[in-house]
Amino acid sequence: MLRLEEIRKSKGFSRYKLSKLAGVKESTLQNIENSINPNPTFTTMCKIADALGITLDELRRNRK
């Protein structure tokens, strides 16, 4: 399970801001967060993790 929304909000990023930093469409972020696209590409996830300043493992880690 991805923790994208949780991490994005904790860092104070809107979807718009993260989409610009990561170079992915805002709709892509929304689809990932809403589990419409539960299996985004590796490249997309790398871009998002880099923009958030975290590792892929942190993004995928289960919620506590």
Side-chain angles (χ1 to χ4, degrees):
M1 171 175 276
L2 298 176
R3 300 174 53 219
L4 177 55
E5 184 175 17
E6 175 187 337
I7 294 169
R8 175 181 61 76
K9 287 182 177 179
S10 75
K11 295 202 176 260
F13 289 177
S14 65
R15 280 191 194 124
Y16 176 79
K17 181 177 179 179
L18 182 55
S19 73
K20 295 304 176 194
L21 290 171
V24 298
K25 293 180 179 180
E26 191 174 351
S27 61
T28 298
L29 296 175
Q30 183 175 2
N31 289 341
I32 294 168
E33 288 181 356
N34 294 328
S35 297
I36 294 167
N37 179 7
N39 296 307
T41 67
F42 179 75
T43 302
T44 296
M45 293 313 298
C46 286
K47 288 178 179 182
I48 293 169
D50 285 347
L52 290 169
I54 61 172
T55 66
L56 286 175
D57 284 340
E58 290 173 297
L59 192 55
R60 293 187 54 86
R61 194 169 294 144
N62 288 332
R63 292 184 176 134
K64 294 179 180 177

